[in-house]
Coordinates of all heavy atoms in Angstrom, one line a residue:
M544 N 60.2 260.1 51.2 CA 60.4 261.0 50.1 C 59.5 260.5 49.0 O 59.2 259.3 48.8 CB 61.8 261.0 49.6 CG 62.8 261.7 50.5 SD 64.5 262.0 49.8 CE 64.9 260.6 48.9
T545 N 59.0 261.5 48.2 CA 58.2 261.1 47.1 C 58.8 261.4 45.7 O 58.4 261.0 44.7 CB 56.8 261.8 47.1 OG1 57.0 263.2 47.2 CG2 56.0 261.4 48.4
S546 N 59.9 262.3 45.7 CA 60.6 262.6 44.5 C 62.0 263.0 44.8 O 62.3 263.4 45.9 CB 59.9 263.7 43.7 OG 59.9 264.9 44.4
I547 N 62.8 262.8 43.7 CA 64.2 263.2 43.9 C 64.8 263.5 42.5 O 64.4 262.8 41.5 CB 65.1 262.2 44.6 CG1 66.5 262.7 44.9 CG2 65.1 260.9 43.8 CD1 67.2 261.8 45.9
N548 N 65.6 264.5 42.3 CA 66.2 264.8 41.0 C 67.7 264.6 41.2 O 68.4 265.4 41.9 CB 65.9 266.2 40.6 CG 66.5 266.6 39.3 OD1 67.3 265.9 38.7 ND2 66.1 267.7 38.7
L549 N 68.3 263.6 40.5 CA 69.7 263.3 40.6 C 70.4 263.6 39.3 O 71.5 263.2 39.1 CB 69.9 261.9 41.0 CG 69.3 261.5 42.4 CD1 69.3 260.0 42.6 CD2 70.1 262.2 43.4
S550 N 69.8 264.3 38.4 CA 70.4 264.6 37.0 C 71.7 265.3 37.0 O 72.5 265.2 36.1 CB 69.3 265.3 36.1 OG 69.0 266.5 36.7
T551 N 71.9 266.1 38.1 CA 73.2 266.9 38.1 C 74.3 266.1 38.9 O 75.4 266.6 38.9 CB 73.0 268.3 38.7 OG1 72.5 268.1 40.1 CG2 72.0 269.1 37.9
N552 N 74.0 265.0 39.4 CA 74.9 264.2 40.2 C 75.6 263.2 39.3 O 75.5 262.0 39.5 CB 74.3 263.5 41.4 CG 73.6 264.5 42.3 OD1 72.6 265.0 42.1 ND2 74.4 264.8 43.4
V553 N 76.3 263.6 38.3 CA 76.8 262.7 37.2 C 78.0 261.8 37.8 O 78.3 260.8 37.1 CB 77.3 263.5 36.0 CG1 76.2 264.2 35.3 CG2 78.4 264.5 36.4
N554 N 78.6 262.2 38.9 CA 79.6 261.3 39.4 C 79.1 260.3 40.5 O 79.9 259.6 41.1 CB 80.7 262.2 40.1 CG 81.5 263.0 39.0 OD1 81.8 262.4 37.9 ND2 81.8 264.2 39.3
L555 N 77.8 260.3 40.6 CA 77.2 259.4 41.6 C 77.5 257.9 41.3 O 77.3 257.5 40.2 CB 75.7 259.6 41.6 CG 74.8 258.8 42.6 CD1 75.2 259.3 44.0 CD2 73.4 259.0 42.3
K556 N 78.0 257.2 42.3 CA 78.4 255.8 42.1 C 77.5 254.8 42.8 O 77.2 253.8 42.3 CB 79.9 255.6 42.5 CG 80.9 256.2 41.5 CD 82.3 255.9 41.9 CE 83.2 256.6 40.9 NZ 84.5 256.2 41.0
N557 N 77.2 255.1 44.1 CA 76.4 254.3 44.9 C 75.1 255.0 45.3 O 75.2 256.1 45.8 CB 77.2 253.9 46.1 CG 78.4 253.1 45.8 OD1 78.4 252.2 45.1 ND2 79.5 253.6 46.3
L558 N 74.0 254.3 45.1 CA 72.7 254.9 45.5 C 71.8 253.9 46.2 O 71.6 252.8 45.7 CB 72.0 255.4 44.2 CG 70.7 256.2 44.4 CD1 70.9 257.4 45.2 CD2 70.2 256.6 43.0
D559 N 71.3 254.3 47.3 CA 70.5 253.5 48.1 C 69.2 254.3 48.5 O 69.2 255.2 49.3 CB 71.2 253.1 49.4 CG 70.6 251.9 50.2 OD1 69.5 251.5 49.8 OD2 71.3 251.4 51.1
L560 N 68.1 253.9 47.8 CA 66.9 254.7 48.0 C 65.7 253.7 48.4 O 64.7 253.6 47.7 CB 66.5 255.4 46.7 CG 67.4 256.6 46.3 CD1 67.0 257.1 44.9 CD2 67.3 257.7 47.3
N561 N 65.9 253.0 49.4 CA 65.0 252.0 49.9 C 63.9 252.7 50.8 O 64.1 253.7 51.4 CB 65.7 251.0 50.7 CG 66.8 250.3 49.9 OD1 66.6 250.1 48.7 ND2 67.9 250.0 50.6
F562 N 62.7 252.1 50.8 CA 61.6 252.5 51.7 C 61.2 253.9 51.4 O 61.1 254.7 52.4 CB 62.0 252.3 53.2 CG 62.3 250.9 53.6 CD1 63.7 250.5 53.6 CD2 61.3 250.0 53.9 CE1 64.0 249.2 54.0 CE2 61.6 248.7 54.2 CZ 62.9 248.3 54.3
N563 N 61.0 254.3 50.2 CA 60.5 255.6 49.8 C 59.1 255.4 49.1 O 58.6 254.3 48.9 CB 61.5 256.3 48.9 CG 62.7 256.8 49.7 OD1 62.5 257.7 50.5 ND2 63.8 256.2 49.6
K564 N 58.6 256.5 48.6 CA 57.3 256.5 47.9 C 57.4 257.2 46.5 O 56.5 257.8 46.1 CB 56.3 257.3 48.8 CG 56.1 256.6 50.1 CD 54.6 256.6 50.5 CE 54.4 256.0 51.9 NZ 54.3 254.5 51.7
F565 N 58.5 256.9 45.9 CA 58.7 257.4 44.5 C 57.7 256.7 43.6 O 57.4 255.6 43.8 CB 60.1 257.1 43.9 CG 61.2 257.6 44.8 CD1 62.1 256.8 45.4 CD2 61.4 259.0 44.8 CE1 63.1 257.3 46.2 CE2 62.4 259.5 45.6 CZ 63.3 258.7 46.2
T566 N 57.3 257.4 42.5 CA 56.5 256.7 41.5 C 57.4 256.5 40.3 O 57.3 255.4 39.7 CB 55.3 257.6 41.1 OG1 55.7 258.9 40.7 CG2 54.2 257.6 42.2
N567 N 58.3 257.4 40.0 CA 59.2 257.3 38.9 C 60.6 257.7 39.4 O 60.8 258.6 40.2 CB 58.8 258.2 37.7 CG 57.5 257.9 37.2 OD1 57.2 256.8 36.7 ND2 56.6 258.8 37.3
L568 N 61.6 257.0 38.8 CA 63.0 257.3 39.2 C 63.8 257.3 37.9 O 63.9 256.2 37.2 CB 63.5 256.3 40.2 CG 64.9 256.5 40.8 CD1 64.9 257.9 41.5 CD2 65.2 255.5 41.8
N569 N 64.4 258.4 37.6 CA 65.2 258.5 36.3 C 66.6 258.7 36.7 O 67.0 259.7 37.2 CB 64.7 259.8 35.5 CG 65.4 259.9 34.2 OD1 66.3 259.2 33.9 ND2 64.9 260.8 33.4
L570 N 67.4 257.7 36.3 CA 68.9 257.7 36.6 C 69.6 257.7 35.3 O 70.8 257.3 35.2 CB 69.2 256.5 37.5 CG 68.5 256.5 38.8 CD1 68.8 255.1 39.5 CD2 68.9 257.6 39.7
S571 N 69.0 258.2 34.2 CA 69.6 258.2 32.9 C 70.8 259.1 32.8 O 71.7 258.9 31.8 CB 68.6 258.5 31.8 OG 68.1 259.8 32.0
Y572 N 71.0 260.0 33.7 CA 72.2 260.9 33.6 C 73.3 260.4 34.5 O 74.4 261.0 34.5 CB 71.8 262.3 34.1 CG 70.8 263.0 33.2 CD1 69.4 263.0 33.4 CD2 71.3 263.6 32.0 CE1 68.5 263.6 32.6 CE2 70.4 264.3 31.2 CZ 69.0 264.3 31.4 OH 68.1 264.9 30.6
N573 N 73.1 259.4 35.2 CA 74.1 258.9 36.2 C 74.9 257.7 35.6 O 74.7 256.6 36.0 CB 73.4 258.5 37.5 CG 72.5 259.6 38.0 OD1 71.3 259.6 37.8 ND2 73.1 260.6 38.6
N574 N 75.8 258.0 34.6 CA 76.5 256.9 33.9 C 77.7 256.4 34.7 O 78.4 255.5 34.2 CB 76.9 257.3 32.5 CG 77.8 258.5 32.5 OD1 78.1 259.1 33.5 ND2 78.2 259.0 31.3
N575 N 77.9 256.8 35.9 CA 79.0 256.2 36.7 C 78.4 255.3 37.8 O 79.1 254.8 38.6 CB 79.8 257.3 37.4 CG 80.7 258.0 36.4 OD1 81.4 257.4 35.7 ND2 80.6 259.3 36.3
L576 N 77.1 255.1 37.8 CA 76.4 254.4 38.8 C 76.9 252.9 38.8 O 76.7 252.2 37.7 CB 74.9 254.5 38.6 CG 74.0 254.0 39.7 CD1 74.2 254.9 40.9 CD2 72.6 254.1 39.3
S577 N 77.4 252.4 39.9 CA 77.8 251.0 39.9 C 77.0 250.2 40.9 O 77.0 249.0 40.9 CB 79.3 250.9 40.3 OG 79.6 251.5 41.6
S578 N 76.3 250.9 41.8 CA 75.5 250.2 42.8 C 74.2 250.9 43.0 O 74.2 252.1 43.3 CB 76.3 250.1 44.1 OG 75.5 249.4 45.1
L579 N 73.1 250.1 42.9 CA 71.7 250.7 43.0 C 70.9 249.8 43.8 O 70.8 248.6 43.5 CB 71.1 251.0 41.7 CG 69.7 251.4 41.7 CD1 69.5 252.8 42.3 CD2 69.1 251.5 40.3
S580 N 70.2 250.4 44.8 CA 69.2 249.6 45.6 C 68.0 250.4 45.8 O 68.0 251.5 46.3 CB 69.8 249.3 47.0 OG 68.9 248.5 47.8
V581 N 66.9 250.0 45.2 CA 65.6 250.6 45.4 C 64.5 249.6 45.8 O 63.6 249.3 45.0 CB 65.2 251.3 44.0 CG1 66.0 252.6 43.8 CG2 65.3 250.4 42.8
I582 N 64.7 249.0 47.0 CA 63.8 248.0 47.4 C 62.7 248.6 48.3 O 62.9 249.7 49.0 CB 64.5 246.9 48.1 CG1 65.3 247.3 49.3 CG2 65.4 246.1 47.1 CD1 65.9 246.2 50.1
F583 N 61.6 248.0 48.4 CA 60.5 248.4 49.3 C 60.0 249.8 49.0 O 59.8 250.6 49.9 CB 60.8 248.2 50.7 CG 61.2 246.8 51.1 CD1 62.5 246.5 51.4 CD2 60.2 245.8 51.2 CE1 62.8 245.2 51.8 CE2 60.5 244.5 51.6 CZ 61.9 244.2 51.8
N584 N 59.8 250.1 47.7 CA 59.3 251.4 47.3 C 57.9 251.2 46.8 O 57.6 250.8 45.7 CB 60.1 252.1 46.2 CG 61.4 252.6 46.8 OD1 61.5 253.6 47.5 ND2 62.5 251.9 46.5
S585 N 56.9 251.3 47.7 CA 55.5 250.9 47.4 C 54.8 251.5 46.3 O 53.9 251.0 45.7 CB 54.7 251.1 48.7 OG 54.7 252.4 49.1
N586 N 55.3 252.7 45.8 CA 54.6 253.4 44.7 C 55.4 253.4 43.4 O 55.0 253.9 42.4 CB 54.3 254.8 45.1 CG 53.3 254.9 46.2 OD1 52.5 254.0 46.4 ND2 53.4 256.0 47.0
L587 N 56.6 252.8 43.4 CA 57.5 252.9 42.2 C 56.8 252.1 41.0 O 56.6 250.9 41.1 CB 58.8 252.3 42.5 CG 59.9 252.5 41.5 CD1 60.2 254.0 41.3 CD2 61.2 251.8 41.9
T588 N 56.6 252.8 39.9 CA 56.1 252.1 38.7 C 57.0 252.1 37.6 O 56.9 251.3 36.7 CB 54.8 252.8 38.3 OG1 55.1 254.2 37.9 CG2 53.7 252.8 39.3
S589 N 58.0 253.0 37.6 CA 59.0 253.1 36.4 C 60.3 253.5 37.0 O 60.5 254.4 37.8 CB 58.5 254.2 35.5 OG 59.4 254.3 34.4
L590 N 61.3 252.7 36.4 CA 62.7 253.0 36.8 C 63.6 253.0 35.5 O 63.6 252.1 34.7 CB 63.2 251.8 37.7 CG 64.7 251.8 38.1 CD1 65.1 253.0 38.9 CD2 65.0 250.5 38.9
N591 N 64.2 254.2 35.3 CA 65.0 254.3 34.1 C 66.5 254.4 34.5 O 67.0 255.3 35.1 CB 64.7 255.7 33.4 CG 65.4 255.9 32.1 OD1 66.3 255.1 31.8 ND2 65.1 256.9 31.4
V592 N 67.2 253.3 34.1 CA 68.7 253.2 34.3 C 69.4 253.2 33.0 O 70.6 252.8 32.9 CB 69.1 252.0 35.2 CG1 68.7 252.3 36.7 CG2 68.6 250.7 34.7
R593 N 68.7 253.6 31.9 CA 69.3 253.6 30.6 C 70.3 254.8 30.5 O 69.9 256.0 30.2 CB 68.2 253.8 29.5 CG 68.8 253.7 28.1 CD 67.7 253.9 27.1 NE 66.7 253.0 27.2 CZ 65.4 253.1 26.7 NH1 65.2 254.2 26.0 NH2 64.5 252.2 26.9
N594 N 71.5 254.6 30.9 CA 72.5 255.7 31.0 C 73.7 255.5 30.0 O 74.6 256.3 30.1 CB 73.0 255.8 32.4 CG 73.7 254.6 32.9 OD1 74.1 253.8 32.1 ND2 73.9 254.5 34.2
G595 N 73.7 254.6 29.2 CA 74.7 254.4 28.2 C 75.9 253.6 28.8 O 76.9 253.4 28.1
N596 N 75.8 253.2 30.0 CA 77.0 252.6 30.7 C 76.5 251.5 31.7 O 77.1 251.4 32.8 CB 77.9 253.7 31.4 CG 79.3 253.2 31.6 OD1 79.7 252.2 31.0 ND2 80.0 253.9 32.5
N597 N 75.5 250.8 31.4 CA 75.0 249.8 32.4 C 76.0 248.7 32.7 O 75.9 248.0 33.7 CB 73.7 249.1 31.8 CG 72.5 249.9 31.9 OD1 71.5 249.6 31.3 ND2 72.5 251.0 32.7
S598 N 77.1 248.5 31.9 CA 78.1 247.5 32.2 C 78.8 247.7 33.5 O 79.4 246.8 34.1 CB 79.0 247.3 31.0 OG 79.7 248.6 30.8
V599 N 78.8 249.0 34.0 CA 79.5 249.2 35.3 C 78.6 249.0 36.5 O 79.0 249.0 37.6 CB 80.1 250.6 35.4 CG1 81.2 250.8 34.3 CG2 79.1 251.7 35.3
L600 N 77.3 248.8 36.2 CA 76.3 248.5 37.3 C 76.5 247.1 37.8 O 76.0 246.2 37.1 CB 74.9 248.8 36.8 CG 73.8 248.9 37.8 CD1 74.1 249.9 38.9 CD2 72.5 249.2 37.1
T601 N 77.2 246.9 38.8 CA 77.5 245.6 39.3 C 76.6 245.1 40.5 O 76.5 243.9 40.7 CB 79.0 245.5 39.8 OG1 79.2 246.4 40.8 CG2 79.9 245.7 38.6
N602 N 75.9 246.0 41.1 CA 75.0 245.7 42.2 C 73.7 246.4 41.9 O 73.6 247.6 41.8 CB 75.5 246.2 43.5 CG 74.6 245.8 44.7 OD1 74.1 244.7 44.8 ND2 74.4 246.8 45.6
F603 N 72.6 245.6 41.7 CA 71.3 246.1 41.3 C 70.2 245.4 42.1 O 70.0 244.2 41.9 CB 71.1 246.0 39.8 CG 69.8 246.5 39.3 CD1 69.6 247.8 39.0 CD2 68.7 245.6 39.2 CE1 68.4 248.3 38.6 CE2 67.5 246.1 38.7 CZ 67.3 247.4 38.5
L604 N 69.6 246.1 43.0 CA 68.5 245.5 43.8 C 67.2 246.3 43.6 O 67.2 247.5 43.9 CB 68.8 245.5 45.2 CG 70.1 244.7 45.6 CD1 70.4 244.9 47.1 CD2 69.8 243.2 45.4
A605 N 66.2 245.7 43.1 CA 64.9 246.4 42.8 C 63.7 245.5 43.1 O 62.8 245.5 42.4 CB 64.9 246.9 41.4
F606 N 63.8 244.8 44.2 CA 62.7 243.9 44.5 C 61.7 244.5 45.5 O 62.0 245.5 46.1 CB 63.2 242.5 45.0 CG 64.1 242.6 46.2 CD1 63.6 242.5 47.5 CD2 65.5 242.7 46.1 CE1 64.4 242.6 48.6 CE2 66.3 242.7 47.2 CZ 65.8 242.7 48.4
D607 N 60.6 243.8 45.7 CA 59.5 244.3 46.6 C 59.0 245.7 46.3 O 58.8 246.5 47.1 CB 60.0 244.2 48.1 CG 60.0 242.8 48.6 OD1 59.2 242.0 48.1 OD2 60.8 242.5 49.5
N608 N 58.8 245.9 45.0 CA 58.2 247.1 44.4 C 56.9 246.6 43.6 O 57.0 246.3 42.4 CB 59.1 247.8 43.5 CG 60.3 248.4 44.2 OD1 60.2 249.2 45.1 ND2 61.5 247.8 43.9
P609 N 55.8 246.4 44.3 CA 54.7 245.7 43.7 C 54.1 246.4 42.5 O 53.5 245.7 41.6 CB 53.6 245.6 44.8 CG 54.1 246.6 45.8 CD 55.5 246.8 45.7
L610 N 54.3 247.7 42.3 CA 53.8 248.4 41.2 C 54.8 248.6 40.0 O 54.4 249.2 39.0 CB 53.2 249.7 41.6 CG 52.1 249.7 42.7 CD1 51.7 251.1 43.1 CD2 50.9 248.9 42.2
L611 N 56.0 248.2 40.2 CA 57.0 248.4 39.2 C 56.8 247.5 38.0 O 56.9 246.3 38.1 CB 58.4 248.1 39.8 CG 59.6 248.3 38.9 CD1 59.7 249.8 38.5 CD2 60.9 247.9 39.6
T612 N 56.5 248.2 36.9 CA 56.2 247.4 35.6 C 57.2 247.7 34.5 O 57.2 247.0 33.5 CB 54.8 247.8 35.1 OG1 54.7 249.2 34.9 CG2 53.7 247.4 36.1
C613 N 58.1 248.7 34.7 CA 59.0 249.0 33.7 C 60.4 249.4 34.2 O 60.5 250.3 35.1 CB 58.4 250.2 32.9 SG 59.5 250.7 31.5
I614 N 61.4 248.7 33.8 CA 62.8 249.1 34.1 C 63.5 249.3 32.7 O 63.6 248.3 32.0 CB 63.5 248.0 34.9 CG1 62.8 247.8 36.2 CG2 65.0 248.4 35.1 CD1 63.4 246.6 37.1
Q615 N 63.8 250.5 32.4 CA 64.5 250.8 31.2 C 66.0 250.7 31.4 O 66.6 251.2 32.3 CB 64.2 252.3 30.8 CG 62.7 252.5 30.4 CD 62.5 253.9 30.2 OE1 62.3 254.7 31.2 NE2 62.4 254.4 29.0
V616 N 66.6 249.9 30.5 CA 68.1 249.6 30.5 C 68.7 249.9 29.1 O 68.0 250.0 28.2 CB 68.3 248.1 30.9 CG1 67.8 247.9 32.4 CG2 67.6 247.2 30.0
D617 N 70.0 249.8 29.1 CA 70.7 250.0 27.8 C 70.4 248.9 26.8 O 70.1 249.1 25.6 CB 72.2 250.1 28.0 CG 72.6 251.4 28.8 OD1 71.8 252.4 28.8 OD2 73.7 251.4 29.4
N618 N 70.5 247.7 27.3 CA 70.4 246.5 26.4 C 69.6 245.4 27.2 O 70.2 244.8 28.1 CB 71.7 246.0 26.0 CG 71.7 244.8 25.1 OD1 70.8 244.0 25.2 ND2 72.6 244.7 24.1
A619 N 68.4 245.2 26.9 CA 67.6 244.3 27.6 C 68.1 242.9 27.6 O 68.1 242.2 28.6 CB 66.1 244.3 27.1
S620 N 68.7 242.4 26.5 CA 69.2 241.0 26.4 C 70.4 240.9 27.3 O 70.6 239.9 28.0 CB 69.7 240.7 25.0 OG 68.6 240.8 24.1
W621 N 71.3 241.9 27.4 CA 72.5 241.8 28.2 C 72.1 241.9 29.7 O 72.6 241.2 30.6 CB 73.4 242.9 27.9 CG 74.6 242.9 28.8 CD1 75.8 242.2 28.6 CD2 74.9 243.7 30.0 NE1 76.7 242.5 29.6 CE2 76.1 243.4 30.4 CE3 74.1 244.6 30.7 CZ2 76.7 243.9 31.6 CZ3 74.6 245.2 31.8 CH2 75.9 244.8 32.3
S622 N 71.1 242.7 30.0 CA 70.7 242.9 31.4 C 70.0 241.7 32.1 O 70.1 241.7 33.3 CB 69.7 244.1 31.4 OG 70.4 245.3 31.0
V623 N 69.5 240.8 31.4 CA 68.8 239.7 32.0 C 69.7 238.5 32.1 O 69.4 237.5 32.7 CB 67.5 239.3 31.3 CG1 66.5 240.4 31.4 CG2 67.8 238.9 29.8
S624 N 70.9 238.6 31.5 CA 71.9 237.4 31.5 C 72.7 237.4 32.8 O 72.7 238.3 33.6 CB 72.8 237.4 30.4 OG 73.5 238.6 30.3

């Protein structure tokens, strides 16, 4: 897959989008998201998980994305601790 629109899936809790060819992924409308895996996406450059509720995100995997340079979050200080 090269694109996906999940903006209307507001009750989405678990998302596994590994081995795709996304360039950008916007999950800012998915404030119930508690588990996210986006590994091995060779074209991913930007990931937006700034949804106002990052504290419920307990599982986050975003490795092996060589072009990923930006991950937008609610609070950068909290997200790296």
Side-chain angles (χ1 to χ4, degrees):
M544 287 192 322
T545 57
S546 66
I547 190 167
N548 181 349
L549 298 168
S550 62
T551 59
N552 299 81
V553 295
N554 292 319
L555 185 66
K556 291 186 180 192
N557 301 305
L558 184 60
D559 196 348
L560 293 172
N561 303 323
F562 299 98
N563 286 290
K564 300 219 178 277
F565 302 115
T566 54
N567 300 299
L568 187 56
N569 183 352
L570 301 171
S571 61
Y572 294 98
N573 307 100
N574 60 358
N575 288 308
L576 195 62
S577 63
S578 178
L579 174 63
S580 181
V581 289
I582 59 173
F583 300 109
N584 288 285
S585 58
N586 295 335
L587 189 64
T588 59
S589 177
L590 174 60
N591 183 353
V592 291
R593 186 184 302 162
N594 62 16
N596 202 18
N597 284 166
S598 61
V599 300
L600 190 57
T601 57
N602 182 45
F603 180 84
L604 299 171
F606 57 88
D607 286 329
N608 296 295
L610 302 177
L611 183 59
T612 58
C613 181
I614 301 176
Q615 294 172 280
V616 295
D617 293 338
N618 181 326
S620 299
W621 179 85
S622 296
V623 295
S624 59

